[in-house]
Amino acid sequence: MGVVALGSGAAWVTTSTSGADWALRTGLKASGATGGFEGLSGTLKDGLTLQQLRVQHPSADVEVDALRVELDWSALWTGRVHVPVLSADRVSLNLKPSDTPSEPLTTLRLPVQVQADRVQIGVLQIAQEGTALPVSCADIDLQATLGESEHQLRITQLRALAPEAQASLRGQARIGVDKPFTTDIGVDIDGRQGDRAFTLRTDANGTLEALPFTLKGEGEGVALDATGSLALLDGFPLRGLRLALEGLDPAAWVPGAPKAKLDVSADLTVGTEGGKGPLLLRGPFSLTNGIPGPIDENALPLTRLAGQLTVPVETLASVQIGALQIALPGKGRITGALSWKRGEPLGDAIGQVQGTLTASDIDASRLHGAALPTRLSGPITFEADAQRQQVKANLKEVGRAVPMSIALTAVIEDQLVKISQADVQAGEAKVRATGELALQGDRAFKANVRLDRFDPSFFLPGSALPPALVSATVDAAGALSPEIAGTAALRFDEGSRWNNAPLGGRVDAAFAGERLSRLDAAVTVGSNRLNAQGAFGRRGDRLTFDLDAPQLNLLWPSLRGTLSAQGGVADTLTSPALD
């Protein structure tokens, strides 16, 4: 009777939907996981279909839509699990890392051999602690054999999808079941970013303890050649990397990026300092730009960047870039060091950043076409953490007829940008500015600018501005949100000149968005004068003016004659009324 009952129970489990339901619920409970399923149909003998499966486990949560499983029961007589079909429309996997140290991996042996003839997944989405990874997988088609001496995986198709790119992968992998896990991997990748195609090939042959690899690729004039070594069983996996990337144009891959022709190289190794201390990833790296140019021509004003990288791989708690050398177009150079340390608590995304740089012979006109030719040299320092960020610069020219200097001190703290010093001097001409800008709320701002014997034509070469010596004060205050609004005041000092004529007067204004809510101006250039009062920008506003210019040539050298006008302009920019 017992044998009959056992046989009847086995038949019920394998040949009925209710038996499959019981087996699945029992299996979930025995695994230590919780969850459930919906829309069960079929049997264990002929194949199961689930509309949805949900599994919650301490290490991961899994959701599967439209799961189909078929088993070849006859293979069990030979000690194998044979799965002719395993498919799902969607698999969502949420990984939950544990702080508990894992046991060292010593074997990949399974109690039985497993053969999956065809595994198909429509979409695979992976998240970590609820945050989705930026890459998902689709149209997965693979075969797997988990054998007695090695495991084999053959990828017929796998599409990787990212916001700005996609790639199709195919390849195979073999791995031994016992330590050190002999490994042989080969993968081909055909990808596109927008309408730009690229290809990659990677090969790895060795063991999980020491796995040399190669990576080669090309696309849009770019050539990639990298070799390295991995240690996948011992902390940080990378043990060495030699990288050569040639011909990269950022503009060809990222919309709006500057055009360039970048060659990148690195020769990094992992080891200790003198055989003692923590493991360090370190070595030289460089970036060379074959077509440097100014920013206003959508180019990158950089000729070469090189340095020495050092990272403690066991903690990844810091990054140091020493022997930093930056070559700019012309003779401009920047040298120094950069460093980053992980902040406390661990959720601090900024950490502690420091930079100590020295600039020499920086030509601003090679950085931007509208800038003045310079030969600026001096120190630049910056430091930042989650609470406070500060930058200081003190650059000067030496050996020029009219030497220029720039001094800057700016701090971001408590959601407030504070510029305590922004000074520019060229000969006797000086510009001194201070200001504040709130980064939250209505984004209130205030600024003070002081001009002393300032000549705009000196700072804007090629602009055809007439010569000037302007001494004045500008004060502004207001807010940027929900729209820009505030007040501004301009006062010319006695002794100011424009085009060799006395310049004087004042301007007071209030504004909000596109509306000039108040203007009171009285400006003179030689015998020319302009008075204006009123408002403009809203229906019903009226701005009156009185212009008397008997010497137009004093305003601009190419002008001739006289001009006199009185009147007003009313209403808005879209429908102005002039009288």
Side-chain angles (χ1 to χ4, degrees):
M1 290 292 292
V3 173
V4 173
L6 181 61
S8 298
W12 171 70
V13 169
T14 58
T15 62
S16 67
T17 301
S18 60
D21 183 286
W22 175 85
L24 286 173
R25 295 184 188 279
T26 302
L28 274 174
K29 187 175 181 180
S31 68
T34 60
F37 51 87
E38 299 173 359
L40 172 64
S41 62
T43 67
L44 291 175
K45 177 178 178 295
D46 298 322
L48 283 177
T49 299
L50 293 172
Q51 289 183 2
Q52 188 177 69
L53 171 66
R54 299 178 304 278
V55 179
Q56 292 85 40
H57 189 271
S59 62
D61 296 333
V62 183
E63 289 187 4
V64 184
D65 294 338
L67 175 65
R68 175 68 181 174
V69 182
E70 295 180 10
L71 296 175
D72 177 8
W73 291 93
S74 64
L76 291 177
W77 295 106
T78 62
R80 296 183 304 118
V81 175
H82 181 204
V83 185
V85 174
L86 176 60
S87 66
D89 285 355
R90 183 186 70 91
V91 176
S92 177
L93 180 63
N94 179 34
L95 303 176
K96 297 183 288 187
S98 172
D99 294 332
T100 303
S102 59
E103 293 292 330
L105 185 63
T106 58
T107 183
L108 294 173
R109 286 184 179 274
L110 298 178
V112 295
Q113 299 179 49
V114 179
Q115 178 182 337
D117 292 345
R118 193 163 196 185
V119 179
Q120 294 180 303
I121 301 174
V123 176
L124 173 61
Q125 299 169 318
I126 301 177
Q128 185 165 2
E129 296 183 323
T131 301
L133 299 184
V135 177
S136 62
C137 298
D139 301 331
I140 300 171
D141 189 350
L142 56 86
Q143 302 85 44
T145 300
L146 310 180
E148 183 178 0
S149 60
E150 69 175 16
H151 301 327
Q152 299 180 23
L153 177 67
R154 179 177 295 276
I155 302 174
T156 304
Q157 177 176 277
L158 186 153
R159 293 177 59 225
L161 307 175
E164 301 293 339
Q166 62 179 14
S168 178
L169 290 75
R170 61 192 180 279
Q172 63 285 323
R174 302 172 59 166
I175 181 171
V177 299
D178 294 320
K179 200 173 181 178
F181 308 109
T182 302
T183 303
D184 186 8
I185 301 173
V187 178
D188 289 293
I189 303 173
D190 294 317
R192 302 192 70 85
Q193 183 171 350
D195 58 355
R196 303 168 185 86
F198 62 89
T199 62
L200 294 170
R201 169 72 187 186
T202 183
D203 292 280
N205 186 279
T207 70
L208 293 188
E209 292 181 337
L211 186 61
F213 70 88
T214 62
L215 177 63
K216 297 181 182 295
E218 59 182 20
E220 290 292 327
V222 180
L224 169 66
D225 189 353
T227 60
S229 180
L230 302 173
L232 299 176
L233 300 180
D234 186 20
F236 187 72
L238 187 64
R239 288 296 180 266
L241 175 65
R242 179 169 292 178
L243 170 70
L245 179 66
E246 298 179 349
L248 176 62
D249 181 4
W253 298 94
V254 180
K259 62 179 182 290
K261 185 179 180 182
L262 304 178
D263 294 342
V264 181
S265 67
D267 190 359
L268 308 177
T269 59
V270 174
T272 60
E273 187 76 48
K276 298 180 180 180
L279 285 176
L280 302 174
L281 173 70
R282 56 186 175 178
F285 68 92
S286 68
L287 181 149
T288 303
N289 183 11
I291 51 171
I295 296 172
D296 55 309
E297 295 181 9
N298 196 36
L300 185 64
L302 173 71
T303 302
R304 188 173 186 272
L305 182 152
Q308 186 81 17
L309 178 69
T310 303
V311 181
V313 299
E314 294 172 334
T315 63
L316 300 179
S318 66
V319 176
Q320 292 184 348
I321 299 177
L324 180 66
Q325 297 184 5
I326 301 174
L328 304 177
K331 297 181 179 180
R333 298 292 184 269
I334 298 175
T335 60
L338 306 175
S339 67
W340 170 84
K341 291 183 179 180
R342 180 186 296 156
E344 296 293 342
L346 294 180
D348 178 4
I350 297 178
Q352 297 178 336
V353 180
Q354 289 186 330
T356 303
L357 307 174
T358 300
S360 60
D361 287 332
I362 305 298
D363 186 350
S365 69
R366 303 294 292 269
L367 307 182
H368 196 288
L372 186 71
T374 62
R375 290 176 55 189
L376 292 166
S377 301
I380 303 172
T381 61
F382 58 87
E383 55 186 27
D385 56 31
Q387 288 74 42
R388 190 173 190 268
Q389 301 87 49
Q390 176 177 278
V391 60
K392 291 184 177 182
N394 191 1
L395 306 179
K396 298 180 180 180
E397 289 185 308
V398 178
R400 292 176 64 95
V402 184
M404 179 184 292
S405 65
I406 298 175
L408 172 67
T409 301
V411 175
I412 302 177
E413 189 173 16
D414 296 329
Q415 296 295 309
L416 181 69
V417 180
K418 185 174 182 179
I419 301 175
S420 58
Q421 181 184 33
D423 297 348
V424 179
Q425 182 170 351
E428 295 182 345
K430 299 178 182 179
V431 180
R432 297 186 177 183
T434 60
E436 294 182 359
L437 170 64
L439 299 179
Q440 59 184 4
D442 61 0
R443 299 177 65 195
F445 68 87
K446 63 180 180 179
N448 171 267
V449 180
R450 174 64 194 172
L451 307 178
D452 287 303
R453 300 181 65 81
F454 180 74
D455 184 356
S457 66
F458 176 83
F459 292 92
L460 297 172
S463 63
L465 286 171
L469 285 177
V470 179
S471 295
T473 301
V474 180
D475 287 292
L480 299 181
S481 181
E483 64 177 2
I484 185 169
T487 61
L490 167 66
R491 298 288 186 273
F492 291 107
D493 290 1
E494 185 177 353
S496 294
R497 303 187 70 80
W498 176 268
N499 198 18
N500 298 315
L503 169 65
R506 56 174 177 78
V507 177
D508 292 288
F511 51 90
E514 295 183 350
R515 182 176 182 239
L516 185 62
S517 57
R518 176 176 59 85
L519 177 67
D520 184 5
V523 180
T524 61
V525 180
S527 58
N528 304 302
R529 62 174 179 83
L530 170 66
N531 293 299
Q533 293 85 29
F536 179 73
R538 188 170 67 184
R539 189 164 297 280
D541 286 344
R542 187 169 186 271
L543 180 65
T544 63
F545 62 87
D546 181 1
L547 173 64
D548 182 19
Q551 293 179 292
L552 285 174
N553 63 301
L554 296 182
L555 301 179
W556 206 269
S558 60
L559 296 179
R560 294 291 184 271
T562 65
L563 177 63
S564 181
Q566 297 84 33
V569 58
D571 296 339
T572 67
L573 284 172
T574 55
S575 58
L578 184 66
D579 59 43

